[in-house]
Amino acid sequence: MVNADIEIETLAEFDRVVARGSLSGYRIQSVNLLERTFALLSADTSAAVFLGCAMEPDASAKVRADGALVFPPIPDLPFDPYRGLLYTAEELFTGLAEGYEATPDARAYAWFQETRSDGDVFSSMLRSLHDDAISDALDEHLAGARVIGVMGGHAMARGGTDYRGAAELGRTLARSGLTVATGGGPGAMEAANLGAYLAPAPDGALPEALELLAKVPSFSPSVSDWARAAFAVRERWPRGGDSVGIPTWFYGHEPPNAFAGQIAKYFANATREDGLLARSTAGVVFLPGAAGTVQEVFDNATPNYYESRSEPTPMVLVDRAHWTERLPVWPLLRALASGRPMESRIALVDSVDEVPDALAAMA
């Protein structure tokens, strides 16, 4: 069995496996088993691992006696360090009606702010456990997918032409069969996830959605109003397409956007950035951005330069003036690529309309 085959992440999966009589060797992640005491007492649980599963005391004693490892739930945490599934926007924004500060996303950030510098090994261990569980869930979700990364700055405001272009790009890429993955935050990231979300909808849905969102251009000064505008669009078109957002609580002032179908949120920004780029196996599109996007360009260029992740993957930089004049990243990237296999895998284009053809030329 491969690792994914021995992981149980839902109660339905648990019931299917236990019906066969044995949980031996399985890893059960964050499943509430308080109502499965008889099943636990009856099944073989030798060599099983229970990660954050609520159990009755007699069931817990029995599985420990079988030789299973039991990692109990951690009380009073605003997140689950053992979770087996990615987040959804609905989960992270639960309680938004009372204000963003009441949501699990905001509470997890507040916990991170309190513990990030306290030197407590227990807090850092919990963050590491959580982020590793998220990486595992992300790999399972993206297995077999052709993933295209779309990077760009958080400052891109709703209602602008750049935001519209990023949304149209996300829609085009999703309609071509690619899974759009972004940094999961506001601005260009939200726009690309929005486009992918509306990919199954008629063409007229996107202009209407953009008009609705433009009423709240930014997450500042009110994250609550910004997020509510997004959920209003989701209510208008409830069956959206899938995409992935990979944000971080390290930049907690940037909330996750509500248009990513699955959200892999991390505490460690370095783990999040490297994981996002490494999983973008069909290439990465870099929209205009500032320091964070520049960092991502070269975080992606380095493994392409050394071919440390196999052959180089496509890199498309959008907006010639931005990447050659305002932030002259392109000349350095081209100089690095000169004479190496990655030279044929980089492109600079003027607009998002040129991205699909640039990617096709490097396929």
Side-chain angles (χ1 to χ4, degrees):
M1 290 189 293
V2 298
N3 286 343
D5 290 336
I6 63 171
E7 293 177 3
I8 296 174
E9 295 151 344
T10 67
L11 195 58
E13 287 181 283
F14 176 87
D15 290 340
R16 284 195 296 271
V17 173
V18 84
R20 299 197 289 266
S22 177
L23 291 165
S24 179
Y26 279 86
R27 283 80 172 101
I28 302 92
Q29 285 181 257
S30 193
V31 180
N32 188 329
L33 300 175
L34 289 173
E35 296 185 0
R36 294 297 186 272
T37 299
F38 179 77
L40 291 168
L41 294 175
S42 304
D44 176 11
T45 57
S46 60
V49 179
F50 293 86
L51 299 166
C53 298
M55 288 183 272
E56 295 290 353
D58 52 346
S60 178
K62 183 267 181 186
V63 301
R64 290 173 189 271
D66 277 354
L69 287 176
V70 178
F71 294 78
I74 309 297
D76 303 321
L77 275 182
F79 64 94
D80 180 358
Y82 307 113
R83 64 179 301 119
L85 302 172
L86 297 176
Y87 293 100
T88 64
E90 294 91 338
E91 180 182 0
L92 288 175
F93 284 102
T94 298
L96 182 62
E98 302 171 23
Y100 173 68
E101 294 73 17
T103 66
D105 186 67
R107 289 189 287 109
Y109 176 57
W111 178 90
F112 180 47
Q113 288 293 90
E114 292 172 2
T115 63
R116 64 189 297 181
S117 302
D118 64 5
D120 185 350
V121 67
F122 184 55
S123 298
S124 61
M125 182 193 73
L126 292 174
R127 293 194 295 269
S128 296
L129 283 171
H130 170 274
D131 286 0
D132 190 66
I134 289 294
S135 291
D136 181 65
L138 185 59
D139 284 338
E140 292 174 11
H141 179 72
L142 293 177
R146 296 172 59 230
V147 181
I148 183 76
V150 180
M151 311 299 161
H154 70 270
M156 186 182 289
R158 295 166 171 174
T161 56
D162 288 343
Y163 187 96
R164 176 186 293 271
E168 291 173 346
L169 174 64
R171 182 177 64 179
T172 298
L173 295 172
R175 286 179 173 178
S176 73
L178 295 168
T179 296
V180 172
T182 79
M189 298 170 278
E190 181 188 55
N193 287 128
L194 167 67
Y197 181 85
L198 292 176
D203 287 353
L206 183 55
E208 185 178 343
L210 292 170
E211 184 176 347
L212 291 171
L213 291 171
K215 297 174 183 177
V216 188
S218 174
F219 62 94
S220 177
S222 174
V223 174
S224 300
D225 291 346
W226 175 83
R228 287 175 187 136
F231 279 102
V233 169
R234 288 176 49 118
E235 289 172 11
R236 174 70 178 82
W237 294 278
R239 289 179 291 278
D242 192 29
S243 67
V244 173
I246 308 180
T248 173
W249 281 295
F250 184 82
Y251 296 131
H253 61 286
E254 297 179 17
N257 77 72
F259 296 111
Q262 298 289 320
I263 300 175
K265 191 151 193 179
Y266 287 87
F267 288 106
N269 184 52
T271 304
R272 163 254 192 176
E273 284 193 343
D274 183 70
L276 170 55
L277 294 168
R279 290 173 177 86
S280 297
T281 52
V284 182
V285 179
F286 297 92
L287 300 173
T293 310
V294 171
Q295 178 179 341
E296 288 162 347
V297 169
F298 291 104
D299 280 348
N300 197 51
T302 300
N304 281 347
Y305 180 89
Y306 289 111
E307 299 183 68
S308 56
R309 295 180 185 146
S310 71
E311 65 179 28
T313 52
M315 299 176 64
V316 182
L317 278 62
V318 179
D319 191 331
R320 190 175 303 272
H322 184 84
W323 295 118
T324 60
E325 298 171 17
R326 287 189 288 276
L327 295 174
V329 165
W330 175 252
L332 178 53
L333 182 63
R334 188 171 57 179
L336 277 173
S338 179
R340 305 185 73 87
M342 71 177 286
E343 186 172 20
S344 63
R345 311 291 279 173
I346 62 172
L348 175 67
V349 299
D350 289 309
S351 72
V352 292
D353 295 336
E354 300 172 71
V355 170
D357 286 342
L359 289 170
M362 292 186 282

